[in-house]
């Protein structure tokens, strides 16, 4: 391995160890930073969130930052999700905008996620009053709030990724198997404004993938690829500081997955089968299947803890549009993401 590459990999791990060492002690809130669990990208969401081993598009920073190393051209990505309601009458709005570009043998990405819940009614605090006083105030107010406030939650991600190739030599009488092992790291800043209160936090994710050809390994030319993904999210135990109102923390999550890629040359397409598991908060399993036709149209099916997910995608020249439909505990959710690859 070249010396520069060794220094690059070593530098990432040393930096993350340093961040972990200096991170202040905080108490984990089970749902701290919960908006970061919503997901990014119509393709990944329609696959039930099983994307850590398959990640190779503009949403890769979220599922596995190592997947950004597979983007060899500049790319803009965006997503909009009206949560729990139709356009113009949603309970909340969820946005993502991002930009990824190759730079000096590596890949750099900048992404922004934002969740907005407007017009939350504000009612007085009756907890310190006796029963009769509470009832009189409630009846006199006639159920009307004392104004409204908003909840704004956003996160900024800066991603660095680099592709590494290990050539595994099985001996002179056998063969050499190339294995792709990209590495990626996220540095993220989290901000939240809830009425008159605000918070700030910082954290990091570390990811890698291992991908190799089954055709070369088994000497069967019709076979495709096998990949394993590993994403250690919030490795620094991301703290969210509310000032005098306390500190929450997002506990670490070890996300791992695997995927099988199988080309279908007779239709110029492919089939991808994926599986992911999250270990945070009791663990969750994710399954996905993707069918690609002529490298332009895709149909997808997935399953996660909420239930089944479905979606479709299309590519025309450098523009890709992906749609996902999710059935959640609070109702159906539609997500549309768009990406554009620059020449």
């Amino acid at each position: 391995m070249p010396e520069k590459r060794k220094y690059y990999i070593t530098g990432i791990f040393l930096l993350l160890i340093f961040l972990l060492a200096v991170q202040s002690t905080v108490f984990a809130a089970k749902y701290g930073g919960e908006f970061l669990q919503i997901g990014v990208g119509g393709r990944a969401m329609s696959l039930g969130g099983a994307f850590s081993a398959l990640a190779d598009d503009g949403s890769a920073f979220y599922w596995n930052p190592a997947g950004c190393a597979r983007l060899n051209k500049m790319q803009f990505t965006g997503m909009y999700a009206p949560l729990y309601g139709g356009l113009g009458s949603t309970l909340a709005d969820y946005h993502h905008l991002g930009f990824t570009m190759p730079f000096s043998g590596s890949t750099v990405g900048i992404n922004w996620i934002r969740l907005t819940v407007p017009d939350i009614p504000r009612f007085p605090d009756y907890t310190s009053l006796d029963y009769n006083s509470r009832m009189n105030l409630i009846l006199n107010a006639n159920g009307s709030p004392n104004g409204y406030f908003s909840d704004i939650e956003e996160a900024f991600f800066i991603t660095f990724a680099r592709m590494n190739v290990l050539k595994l030599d099985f001996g002179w009488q056998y063969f050499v198997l190339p294995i792709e092992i990209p590495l990626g790291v996220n540095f993220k800043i989290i901000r939240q404004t809830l009425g008159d209160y605000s918070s700030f936090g910082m954290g990091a994710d570390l990811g890698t993938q291992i991908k190799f050809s089954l055709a070369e390994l088994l000497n069967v030319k019709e076979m495709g690829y096998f990949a394993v993904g590993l994403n250690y999210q919030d490795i620094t135990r991301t703290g969210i500081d509310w000032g005098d109102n306390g500190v929450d923390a997002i506990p670490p999550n070890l996300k791992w997955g695997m995927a099988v890629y199988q080309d279908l040359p007779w239709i110029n397409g492919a089939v991808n089968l994926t599986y992911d598991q999250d270990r945070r908060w009791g663990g969750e399993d994710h399954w996905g299947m993707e069918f690609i036709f002529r490298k332009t149209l895709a149909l997808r099916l997935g399953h996660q803890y909420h239930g089944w997910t479905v979606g479709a995608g299309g590519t025309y020249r450098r523009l890709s549009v992906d749609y996902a439909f999710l059935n959640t505990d609070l109702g159906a959710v539609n997500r549309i993401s768009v990406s554009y690859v620059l020449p």
Side-chain angles (χ1 to χ4, degrees):
M1 182 181 293
E3 290 298 319
K4 289 185 178 180
R5 186 171 297 177
K6 289 182 180 179
Y7 295 146
Y8 175 85
I9 297 173
T10 302
I12 288 179
F13 279 97
L14 289 177
L15 181 57
L16 287 174
I17 292 172
F18 171 76
L19 287 173
L20 184 61
V22 302
Q23 180 75 10
S24 59
T25 301
V26 291
F27 297 96
K30 182 175 181 180
Y31 298 108
E34 181 67 9
F35 79 104
L36 292 176
Q37 307 304 312
I38 293 176
V40 170
R43 182 186 178 201
M45 297 308 300
S46 62
L47 291 172
F51 206 56
S52 67
L54 191 63
D56 60 358
D57 60 19
S59 70
F61 79 97
Y62 178 90
W63 305 98
N64 190 341
C68 292
R70 303 191 181 281
L71 280 69
N72 53 20
K73 291 185 178 181
M74 290 187 291
Q75 179 173 323
F76 290 95
T77 307
M79 187 188 81
Y80 171 67
L83 301 182
Y84 318 121
L87 290 175
S89 60
T90 59
L91 177 64
D93 294 292
Y94 186 69
H95 301 84
H96 161 241
L97 289 175
F99 173 67
T100 309
M101 64 174 293
F103 178 77
S104 186
S106 303
T107 303
V108 178
I110 300 175
N111 289 271
W112 171 67
I113 297 174
R114 178 184 175 98
L115 172 69
T116 305
V117 184
D119 301 327
I120 303 173
R122 186 194 303 271
F123 292 94
D125 182 6
Y126 300 126
T127 56
S128 61
L129 304 178
D130 60 71
Y131 175 79
N132 291 328
S133 298
R134 288 200 303 268
M135 291 302 299
N136 288 331
L137 287 174
I138 293 172
L139 292 174
N140 291 333
N142 196 28
S144 301
N146 293 345
Y148 297 85
F149 65 97
S150 298
D151 177 24
I152 302 174
E153 306 175 44
E154 55 188 351
F156 299 88
F157 290 75
I158 301 177
T159 306
F160 299 94
R162 187 179 183 92
M163 177 62 71
N164 305 279
V165 179
L166 171 67
K167 295 185 178 180
L168 185 60
D169 193 343
F170 286 85
W172 65 271
Q173 58 181 341
Y174 293 101
F175 58 93
V176 175
L177 179 66
I179 302 177
E180 296 179 354
I181 311 177
L183 288 174
V185 60
N186 283 331
F187 300 99
K188 54 190 175 184
I189 298 173
I190 301 171
R191 300 192 308 178
Q192 182 174 358
T193 302
L194 183 61
D196 300 327
Y197 303 98
S198 62
S199 66
F200 178 85
M202 298 181 66
D205 310 321
L206 177 64
T208 188
Q209 293 175 332
I210 301 173
K211 180 180 178 181
F212 56 86
S213 169
L214 293 173
E216 294 187 37
L217 178 64
L218 303 176
N219 196 26
V220 181
K221 66 178 182 179
E222 293 82 8
M223 298 194 71
Y225 292 86
F226 178 79
V228 175
L230 182 67
N231 184 14
Y232 199 169
Q233 296 176 309
D234 299 292
I235 191 173
T236 57
R237 190 176 175 84
T238 304
I240 303 177
D241 189 353
W242 288 90
D244 295 336
N245 296 295
V247 181
D248 294 334
I250 304 175
N253 177 40
L254 182 60
K255 176 190 287 290
W256 74 276
M258 52 187 176
V260 176
Y261 309 65
Q262 180 59 57
D263 290 329
L264 304 176
W266 58 91
I267 60 170
N268 193 23
V271 170
N272 297 319
L273 303 176
T274 65
Y275 168 78
D276 265 26
Q277 183 183 78
D278 291 298
R279 304 302 299 274
R280 182 161 50 197
W281 299 328
E284 298 172 3
D285 293 321
H286 308 261
W287 304 83
M289 179 176 67
E290 179 179 46
F291 173 75
I292 302 173
F293 179 72
R294 295 194 178 279
K295 295 184 179 180
T296 56
L297 298 176
L299 298 176
R300 305 176 183 116
L301 177 68
H303 188 273
Q304 57 184 355
Y305 65 98
H306 285 305
W308 293 98
T309 62
V310 295
T315 300
Y316 178 72
R317 296 184 177 178
R318 298 184 179 89
L319 178 66
S320 297
V321 179
D322 294 294
Y323 167 78
F325 175 86
L326 293 76
N327 188 20
T328 72
D329 294 337
L330 296 179
V333 174
N334 299 282
R335 300 188 182 176
I336 299 176
S337 62
V338 179
S339 65
Y340 182 78
V341 180
L342 277 67

